[in-house]
Amino acid sequence: MNDKQKLEFILNHLLLSQVKLDDASAAAQGHFDVAIVELYKMIGGYEAKDIECHRVMKDAIEHMHLYNRI
């Protein structure tokens, strides 16, 4: 997958996370987690400066480990 395709994949998951937010919150979280982790992998070595943002990123990574997506 080239960079453009990866970014389209990430954007699609971000959009789906919002579409499903009200009626399928678990699915929305899953799509959000995929997007966060894929961006994190593309950037490599990113450390969030804000403690709350750091926690969100850590949770997304943990969720993807549980789903065997990492």
Side-chain angles (χ1 to χ4, degrees), residues 6-7 9-11 14 32-46 57:
K6 287 178 187 177
L7 289 171
F9 176 83
I10 291 165
L11 179 57
L14 287 172
F32 181 76
D33 292 342
V34 168
I36 294 298
V37 168
E38 290 303 315
L39 276 173
Y40 177 76
K41 290 187 323 190
M42 281 185 78
I43 293 170
Y46 174 77
M57 188 172 64

Side-chain angles (χ1 to χ4, degrees), residues 4-21:
K4 182 179 184 303
Q5 290 169 320
K6 287 178 187 177
L7 289 171
E8 288 172 350
F9 176 83
I10 291 165
L11 179 57
N12 187 58
H13 279 280
L14 287 172
L15 294 170
L16 285 169
S17 77
Q18 292 303 296
V19 167
K20 296 181 180 286
L21 194 57

